[in-house]
Amino acid sequence: MDILLILASGLTLIVFGVLWVQKRFTYWKKMGIPYEVPHFLYGNLKGVGQYDHDGLLTQKFYEKFKGISPIVGVYYSIKPVAIFIDINLIKDILIKDFASFHDRGIYYNERDDPLSTHLISLPGGKWKQLRNTCSPAFTSLKMKTMFSTMMEVGVKLEKKIDQVCKSGKALDIKKVMSLFTMDVIGSCAFGLETNSLEDENNEFFRMGISVFDNPRYSTRSTFVLQAFRGYARKLRLKLFRDEVIKFYTDLVRNTIDYRLKKKEGRNDFMQILIQLHTSKGEDNLSFNEVLGQTFVFHIAGFEASASILQFCFYELACNPDIQNRLRHHINQVLRKHDGEVTYEAIMDMKYLDQVVNETLRKNPPFGMLSRETTLNYKIPGTDCILEKGTSLHIPIYAIHHDPEFYPNPSKFNPDNFSEEAVKNRHPIAFLPFGAGPRACIGVRFGMMQVKLGVITGLRKFKYTLSPKTRQPIKLQSKFFVAQPEGGIWLNIESVD
C-alpha cells in the first residue's frame, strides 16, 4: 500500500511538473509575439554547448523571423527571452529608450564572487556611478600616456614572431597574440612585467587563460544560471573557480598594499583605482569594486583583443592582396612619421581602421548583447508590452552578416568601412562594442593594442594559411568569446 502511495504521489508530481513547464511555454503565445517552438527539456538552447556558438544560435532566429516581427520569443530553459530583430527598434533600445533597458541582466554575486561584480554586470545606479568614476581612465590622453608602455611590449612581440619565422614552424597566432595582449594588460593595468612573451608558463598568463579554457560551468549551464539569477544568488553560486578568485584577490590586494606602503605611483589603470579606493568622497571604491574592475579589464582586455587579432591575421592570410595593401599603407604612413610607431602615426592609418573594423564586422568577439527591461515597455507599432524584468538579446553576429547592410557578408571586404559606405549604412548595423551609454568603456584601449599588434606583426612579415588550420572555420560552442575550433595556424616568412 505504501509503495502504491509513493508511486501515485511521484506520478502526480511529474504530471504537475509537466503541466507547469507546458504553461511556462505559452508565455510568448499569450503575448501575441511570434516565437520559436521550444524543446521540453532545454527550451531553445539546443546545440548550445555542443555545436552552436551563441552568435550562430541567435542568427538562426534572426534570419527566420526577420520581416515577420520586430522581435521573436525564445526560451532559455524555461525562461522567456526576447530576441530583437528590427534595426530601428534596436537603436531605440540602446539609445533613445535606454532608461528602460539600462541593465544587462548578467549574473553577479558580490558576496561570494567579487570578480563577477564589475561594470559589465552591475545594474542601474551602481553601474552609472562606477562608470562615471572610471571613465577618466579611458580618455584619449590616458591612451597616449600608456602608449609607450604598450610599445615596449610591441618590441617583444616582434622578436617573438621573428623567432617563429626563423624556426620555420607554423605560428599559432591566437597563442602569440594572447601572450602579447596579456603582457600589455599586465603592464598597463597592474604595472607588472609579466613577460608572457618570454615565459608563457608564468602564473599570470596561465590563470588568465584558464578563465576561458577551464570555466566553472559549461556554456549551456551559464545560460541557465543567467536565466535564474535570483535563485543562483540564494544558493550562493559563484561564476568563477575558487582558484581564480583567490589568485586575483591576492594579486590586487598585494599590489595595493605594496604601492601604499612604498608610496609608489605609476601611470596605469591600477593607480587610478587605488586613488579612488583611498579617496574619502562619493567616488570611493570598495576593495571588491577595485577587484572586479581590475579583473574584467584584464580578462576582457586580453582575450577579446587576442581574438580580434587572430581573426584579422587569418583574414589577411586568406586575402593576400588586402594583406599587401595594408602592409604598404602601414609603411607609407610610418615614413611620414620618421619611421617611428607613435600614437599619432596609428591614428593616421585609415586603411588599418577599415581592416580592423571589417574583422570586427565579420568575426565579432561576442555574438550578442544582453539587456533587461527595467520598466514595462510597449513595443512601437504593436499592442505588446514587455514586462519589467524581461530578458532580451540583440543579435550582433546576425546583424553583421545581414546582406541588407553588408552585401556579400561572407566576403572579407574592408571597403565596407570606407567613409561613403559608413555614411550610407544604418548607424546601428555595426555593434562590436555595443552602442549608447552602455557601450564598452575600454574600446579606445582595446583598439589601440589591436592596431599595435597588427602593425608589429605585419610590417616585416607576411602570412599564408597553414594546412593545420581547419577549413572552413567552425566556432567553438564552449566560448562566449568567438574562437575557431582547432585554432588558426599560419605560415610566416620575412618580407625582404
Side-chain angles (χ1 to χ4, degrees):
M1 190 69 177
D2 290 341
I3 294 176
L4 289 176
L5 181 61
I6 292 171
L7 289 174
S9 300
L11 182 60
T12 301
L13 287 173
I14 291 172
V15 170
F16 273 108
V18 170
L19 292 174
W20 181 76
V21 171
Q22 288 178 337
K23 184 178 180 180
R24 294 278 296 184
F25 283 156
T26 64
Y27 181 83
W28 292 120
K29 185 177 182 179
K30 290 178 179 178
M31 289 279 289
I33 291 175
Y35 63 95
E36 182 74 3
V37 177
H39 186 281
F40 181 79
L41 295 178
Y42 40 70
N44 299 117
L45 288 177
K46 184 178 181 180
V48 172
Q50 295 175 323
Y51 52 84
D52 266 354
H53 185 263
D54 59 357
L56 302 179
L57 175 74
T58 50
Q59 184 185 34
K60 290 192 299 187
F61 305 136
Y62 178 91
E63 292 178 345
K64 182 175 179 178
F65 289 90
K66 185 180 179 184
I68 297 174
S69 173
I71 73 171
V72 56
V74 299
Y75 297 89
Y76 290 170
S77 182
I78 57 174
K79 170 79 171 179
V81 176
I83 295 179
F84 279 62
I85 296 173
D86 182 81
I87 195 74
N88 292 310
L89 182 55
I90 291 171
K91 181 181 178 182
D92 288 347
I93 289 168
L94 296 176
I95 302 172
K96 184 170 76 70
D97 298 327
F98 176 76
S100 298
F101 299 95
H102 54 67
D103 289 356
R104 293 187 186 275
I106 295 177
Y107 179 72
Y108 70 95
N109 178 357
E110 184 173 5
R111 178 176 59 176
D112 304 296
D113 186 357
L115 300 189
S116 65
T117 308
H118 48 69
L119 270 173
I120 294 176
S121 62
L122 286 174
K126 286 186 177 181
W127 160 77
K128 186 175 182 180
Q129 179 184 2
L130 197 56
R131 172 94 181 199
N132 292 337
T133 300
C134 293
S135 290
F138 296 98
T139 63
S140 296
L141 179 60
K142 288 295 181 184
M143 295 307 102
K144 291 180 74 170
T145 55
M146 288 183 184
F147 183 76
S148 60
T149 303
M150 282 192 190
M151 194 59 215
E152 291 174 7
V153 182
V155 172
K156 296 178 181 179
L157 173 62
E158 189 172 276
K159 290 180 181 178
K160 181 74 172 183
I161 295 175
D162 189 51
Q163 288 173 3
V164 178
C165 180
K166 289 176 179 177
S167 74
K169 297 179 181 178
L171 176 70
D172 181 349
I173 190 67
K174 170 64 191 320
K175 183 176 182 180
V176 169
M177 289 305 171
S178 293
L179 296 168
F180 164 65
T181 56
M182 189 71 77
D183 280 352
V184 170
I185 296 296
S187 297
C188 294
F190 294 90
L192 300 175
E193 293 293 329
T194 55
N195 293 320
S196 301
L197 281 161
E198 298 166 358
D199 175 20
E200 60 193 58
N201 294 317
N202 74 78
E203 191 175 18
F204 192 74
F205 180 73
R206 182 181 64 81
M207 199 60 64
I209 287 290
S210 76
V211 172
F212 297 92
D213 285 358
N214 185 26
R216 193 177 192 112
Y217 305 109
S218 68
T219 305
R220 183 181 290 176
S221 296
T222 304
F223 268 106
V224 175
L225 182 74
Q226 301 288 6
F228 300 100
R229 300 187 300 280
Y231 294 109
R233 286 195 191 97
K234 289 179 181 178
L235 293 171
R236 304 188 67 170
L237 297 182
K238 301 175 184 178
L239 196 57
F240 301 101
R241 289 179 294 108
D242 292 340
E243 177 190 21
V244 172
I245 296 171
K246 183 180 186 306
F247 172 79
Y248 282 99
T249 301
D250 291 347
L251 176 65
V252 172
R253 192 179 300 280
N254 291 338
T255 301
I256 292 175
D257 289 347
Y258 177 83
R259 293 196 188 185
L260 292 178
K261 181 179 179 180
K262 297 291 185 179
K263 296 182 179 180
E264 178 181 298
R266 297 194 183 187
N267 189 28
D268 56 21
F269 182 62
M270 176 62 78
Q271 193 62 33
I272 295 170
L273 294 179
I274 291 174
Q275 290 170 359
L276 295 170
H277 177 53
T278 55
S279 71
K280 303 299 183 182
E282 61 181 18
D283 289 340
N284 175 266
L285 297 182
S286 68
F287 174 78
N288 279 356
E289 287 173 330
V290 172
L291 176 58
Q293 305 335 299
T294 308
F295 172 74
V296 77
F297 183 58
H298 177 209
I299 295 303
F302 100 80
E303 179 66 14
S305 295
S307 176
I308 297 165
L309 281 163
Q310 72 164 337
F311 282 115
C312 185
F313 278 91
Y314 167 78
E315 298 292 354
L316 293 174
C318 292
N319 298 275
D321 291 345
I322 295 174
Q323 181 182 159
N324 291 335
R325 179 181 172 185
L326 178 57
R327 184 182 299 105
H328 174 74
H329 172 74
I330 289 170
N331 289 326
Q332 187 178 43
V333 172
L334 289 179
R335 282 194 290 271
K336 288 170 52 181
H337 293 266
D338 300 321
E340 296 292 325
V341 181
T342 62
Y343 178 86
E344 290 74 19
I346 292 180
M347 292 296 101
D348 202 17
M349 295 180 183
K350 305 306 179 186
Y351 190 64
L352 175 60
D353 269 343
Q354 291 180 224
V355 169
V356 171
N357 283 336
E358 176 65 354
T359 301
L360 288 164
R361 193 278 305 173
K362 191 179 175 192
N363 309 282
F366 305 99
M368 62 188 185
L369 286 174
S370 297
R371 289 291 186 272
E372 185 174 85
T373 53
T374 50
L375 299 168
N376 288 348
Y377 182 78
K378 185 177 182 297
I379 301 171
T382 75
D383 294 326
C384 297
I385 296 177
L386 290 180
E387 298 174 323
K388 178 182 177 180
T390 300
S391 296
L392 61 98
H393 285 156
I394 296 168
I396 297 175
Y397 187 91
I399 294 170
H400 286 192
H401 289 79
D402 188 337
E404 178 185 346
F405 308 120
Y406 301 96
N408 195 6
S410 62
K411 179 183 178 182
F412 185 77
N413 179 18
D415 289 338
N416 281 326
F417 291 90
S418 66
E419 286 187 21
E420 183 179 1
V422 171
K423 183 174 64 177
N424 293 330
R425 187 167 52 242
H426 196 289
I428 298 297
F430 184 58
L431 293 169
F433 303 107
R438 197 136 193 180
C440 176
I441 192 174
V443 61
R444 284 193 183 97
F445 183 92
M447 290 292 279
M448 180 60 60
Q449 69 171 343
V450 165
K451 289 178 182 179
L452 179 59
V454 175
I455 294 167
T456 303
L458 193 63
R459 62 176 179 162
K460 294 182 181 179
F461 307 97
K462 58 183 177 180
Y463 303 84
T464 56
L465 281 185
S466 165
K468 294 176 68 174
T469 301
R470 299 179 190 176
Q471 294 279 66
I473 278 182
K474 181 181 181 299
L475 295 181
Q476 293 189 63
S477 59
K478 71 174 183 175
F479 293 109
F480 283 99
V481 179
Q483 294 298 342
E485 195 172 87
I488 292 174
W489 296 81
L490 303 176
N491 297 322
I492 177 173
E493 56 184 296
S494 178
V495 176
D496 295 329

